[in-house]
Amino acid sequence: MAEEQFRLKKLDEIQGKMEPYPARCQRSHACQQVILDFEKISAKDEKVTLVGRLVLIRLHGKACFAHLEDGTGRMQIYFKYDNLGPEAYDFFVKNIDVGDFLEVEGKLFITHRGEKTLIVSNWRLLAKAILPLPEKWHGLADIETRYRQRYLDLIANKEVRENFIKRSNIIKLIREFFSQKEFLEVATPILQPIPGGANAKPFVTHHNALDIDLYLRIAPELYLKRLIVGGLEKVYEIATCFRNEGIDFSHNPEFTQIEFYQAFADYTQLMKLTEDLLEFLVTQLFSKLEIEYQGQKINFKPPYPRLEFRQAILEASGIDIDEEKDLKQIINKARKIGLDIDKTWNRGKILDEIYKELVLPKIINPTFIINHPVEISPLAKRLPDNPNYVERFQLLIAGFEVCNAFSELNDPIDQEERFADQQKLRKAGDEEAQRLDEDFIEALKYGMPPTAGEGIGIDRLTMLLTNNHNIREVILFPTLRPK
């Protein structure tokens, strides 16, 4: 607080001499542009105008070296008593602090130490910082502060800024890829009367004018399928979704995913499309297909191995899910391997938890887990030769799921029956079971062609491609418990 009061006094002093928060400024060059084109710009002997935040001030008698930082980089600037004159120099020294935004004008030169520098002939305050920045030499390391005050994190930690720039580039490249594949980007409702498209507990809100409850979407899936019914054969959406669930290293209640649907395709074609997408992304970002994630080498070179869900469970737990049909037997075996079984869980839920506990953490390089049990896949088409399983895959990398896809169920009778089974689970206490969406069933009755659909978690993909092991590192403002 003492520092804040000290700066407020400086603000009073400034207001009598200049506007501390002007609306406009001038900039002739960005800092990085000056660094890269220094010789060319200096040769013209023209004045350069830079804008940015002061991040360092070093006083040397009647001279001051400082670092000015904008969104592109950092430039050394030099304030000299003889050059500015007594009044302007003294005013600067007495009233300007690290954290303030300035506009500086001057010419370029190189110091005796060989550092590219701008000698200031004129300066102007653009915004006075009332609070001090985090202590420069130690940066900002406190995790809670970094997440709660992301603006300070971005100021103090260059690598954090680079993570979010890379995230933006990843989304840009995803759009480029799907545009090349002739997919149409669309927008579907975030507020939905019936949440669907995933097994998850939704957030609920109320619309006053209509006097109805609405839900924040848990997935855009059922609306994207309606568009397939309507004749849009290739669609995708980069969707913010919301699930009222716990928080851990790979889950945040608000997250971003891309979902895409292709008519006249099946899940095997989407496996190839997924391999093409990841090969494109990794090559564009790294110019190679092998990267390092948390000390492990991950190779994105296709094709990726395919492992059946049944075989994965058998290898991890010794349980053959084709042989173990009885619910009590499955519960007993699950308890023997250390799982706490909730009384509301059915056979499919228990198998899914075994999969998450024992299979997921062990798979490092990209691997497709295929052909899941029908009980945990209410929107997927059954295997033609085995109706107990569905045409579904999940791509696992570095111990977590990156994408989920299947050949879409387009039989409205079967879909209605699956929804009825989900309703029974809801009545038994499973809050994540899916609701009956009669409007979606009606849409299917008009006919949906063979279709494959997939969802890819952009946050998790960004974790992989920025070498971060916590989803909060790649979400600008993650969900946190209030102080």
Side-chain angles (χ1 to χ4, degrees):
M1 184 59 72
E3 176 67 19
E4 181 177 353
Q5 293 302 320
F6 189 56
R7 291 190 178 211
L8 284 170
K9 287 182 179 179
K10 292 183 179 182
L11 180 61
D12 287 339
E13 179 70 21
I14 290 167
Q15 285 173 328
K17 301 287 180 66
M18 67 171 66
E19 169 57 55
Y21 300 102
R24 293 170 182 81
C25 62
Q26 300 293 323
R27 172 158 62 174
S28 65
H29 298 79
C31 289
Q32 186 67 12
Q33 182 187 0
V34 172
I35 297 293
L36 294 176
D37 297 333
F38 189 85
E39 291 182 7
K40 182 179 177 182
I41 297 171
S42 347
K44 295 180 180 178
D45 197 33
E46 296 176 353
K47 286 192 175 181
V48 169
T49 305
L50 303 177
V51 296
R53 186 193 292 272
L54 273 181
V55 293
L56 177 68
I57 296 176
R58 299 193 308 270
L59 288 170
H60 298 281
K62 294 187 176 182
C64 172
F65 284 95
H67 286 170
L68 190 77
E69 186 172 275
D70 65 12
T72 69
R74 183 178 295 188
M75 181 80 189
Q76 179 165 277
I77 56 177
Y78 178 46
F79 295 84
K80 191 176 180 183
Y81 182 91
D82 293 340
N83 199 49
L84 285 173
E87 186 176 350
Y89 182 82
D90 289 341
F91 188 77
F92 171 83
V93 170
K94 289 178 181 178
N95 296 296
I96 300 304
D97 298 292
V98 167
D100 293 350
F101 280 89
L102 296 185
E103 172 187 299
V104 295
E105 181 185 58
K107 292 189 177 182
L108 302 177
F109 77 105
I110 296 179
T111 66
H112 294 303
R113 294 185 177 182
E115 188 161 359
K116 298 171 181 176
T117 305
L118 180 139
I119 183 166
V120 178
S121 58
N122 192 24
W123 68 273
R124 189 163 66 102
L125 182 64
L126 297 181
K128 181 66 183 172
I130 303 303
L131 291 173
L133 297 180
E135 210 284 312
K136 178 194 178 302
W137 303 113
H138 301 293
L140 183 64
D142 181 74
I143 295 295
E144 279 292 307
T145 303
R146 288 184 54 237
Y147 296 155
R148 291 184 188 280
Q149 296 175 280
R150 183 68 86 182
Y151 46 91
L152 294 181
D153 192 21
L154 294 168
I155 292 168
N157 298 316
K158 182 180 178 182
E159 68 277 8
V160 172
R161 273 178 284 169
E162 291 172 349
N163 283 342
F164 287 105
I165 291 169
K166 183 173 279 190
R167 178 191 169 108
S168 178
N169 288 335
I170 289 167
I171 294 172
K172 189 184 301 182
L173 289 168
I174 288 172
R175 282 194 163 98
E176 181 182 333
F177 177 86
F178 281 98
S179 176
Q180 291 173 357
K181 299 292 182 182
E182 298 181 333
F183 278 75
L184 180 69
E185 184 173 8
V186 298
T188 63
I190 292 175
L191 292 175
Q192 300 181 352
I194 299 174
N199 287 66
K201 184 179 178 181
F203 290 93
V204 62
T205 186
H206 188 79
H207 189 280
N208 291 332
L210 296 178
D211 193 24
I212 57 171
D213 283 344
L214 292 169
Y215 302 87
L216 299 183
R217 69 174 168 207
I218 56 177
E221 177 169 341
L222 302 188
Y223 284 90
L224 292 172
K225 288 181 184 177
R226 287 171 169 92
L227 299 181
I228 296 289
V229 171
L232 300 179
E233 293 185 3
K234 289 182 175 183
V235 293
Y236 78 92
E237 181 171 12
I238 294 177
T240 302
C241 299
F242 309 85
R243 297 180 185 177
N244 200 345
E245 60 190 7
I247 297 172
D248 61 27
F249 83 98
S250 65
H251 291 86
N252 190 70
E254 179 180 355
F255 63 98
T256 305
Q257 64 173 335
I258 176 173
E259 284 205 15
F260 52 95
Y261 291 80
Q262 181 174 345
F264 309 108
D266 67 11
Y267 77 141
T268 62
Q269 289 163 274
L270 284 200
M271 282 188 240
K272 177 64 169 63
L273 187 67
T274 303
E275 290 172 339
D276 291 345
L277 170 62
L278 289 177
E279 184 177 24
F280 172 75
L281 284 176
V282 175
T283 301
Q284 290 291 316
L285 292 168
F286 300 98
S287 301
K288 59 182 180 179
L289 286 174
E290 185 175 83
I291 68 171
E292 185 171 305
Y293 177 75
Q294 301 297 299
Q296 296 173 308
K297 300 290 185 183
I298 298 179
N299 195 326
F300 285 89
K301 183 175 175 58
Y304 305 151
R306 302 180 184 187
L307 177 62
E308 293 211 353
F309 186 94
R310 175 195 172 194
Q311 187 64 28
I313 294 290
L314 181 61
E315 291 177 5
S317 69
I319 299 173
D320 187 337
I321 62 178
D322 274 358
E323 300 296 329
E324 302 290 350
K325 301 290 187 181
D326 184 73
L327 180 60
K328 288 184 179 179
Q329 288 181 328
I330 291 285
I331 290 173
N332 288 336
K333 292 207 170 184
R335 283 177 174 156
K336 282 181 181 178
I337 60 177
L339 281 184
D340 292 326
I341 307 299
D342 189 279
K343 63 181 181 180
T344 65
W345 291 1
N346 68 345
R347 178 177 179 274
K349 175 67 172 175
I350 295 169
L351 294 179
D352 194 39
E353 291 300 319
I354 293 172
Y355 166 73
K356 291 175 181 176
E357 189 74 21
L358 299 182
V359 176
L360 272 173
K362 296 179 181 178
I363 293 179
I364 304 303
N365 275 295
T367 302
F368 290 118
I369 304 296
I370 65 172
N371 303 342
H372 295 57
V374 68
E375 300 101 312
I376 58 173
S377 312
L379 297 166
K381 188 179 284 290
R382 297 175 193 262
L383 291 174
D385 56 350
N386 190 343
N388 294 322
Y389 295 89
V390 297
E391 295 189 355
R392 176 183 176 186
F393 71 81
Q394 291 173 297
L395 181 65
L396 308 186
I397 309 174
F400 53 88
E401 173 198 333
V402 174
C403 73
N404 183 39
F406 31 85
S407 299
E408 302 295 337
L409 180 58
N410 61 345
D411 177 345
I413 308 303
D414 190 359
Q415 182 65 84
E416 195 163 23
E417 291 172 354
R418 305 246 204 122
F419 276 148
D421 290 339
Q422 290 287 303
Q423 290 298 98
K424 291 176 185 176
L425 294 176
R426 285 188 60 76
K427 288 180 180 177
D430 185 354
E431 294 182 301
E432 294 186 350
Q434 297 198 35
R435 292 164 167 78
L436 171 63
D437 189 332
E438 293 179 345
D439 181 76
F440 176 65
I441 297 294
E442 183 176 352
L444 287 185
K445 288 179 178 178
Y446 285 100
M448 185 175 82
T451 298
E454 180 172 343
I456 298 177
I458 287 177
D459 308 308
R460 292 184 184 179
L461 185 59
T462 304
M463 285 168 60
L464 274 173
L465 299 179
T466 58
N467 195 18
N468 280 291
H469 191 60
N470 192 319
I471 199 168
R472 296 183 182 188
E473 294 290 354
V474 297
I475 295 175
L476 278 167
F477 300 101
T479 305
L480 300 168
R481 188 187 302 276
K483 284 187 176 180

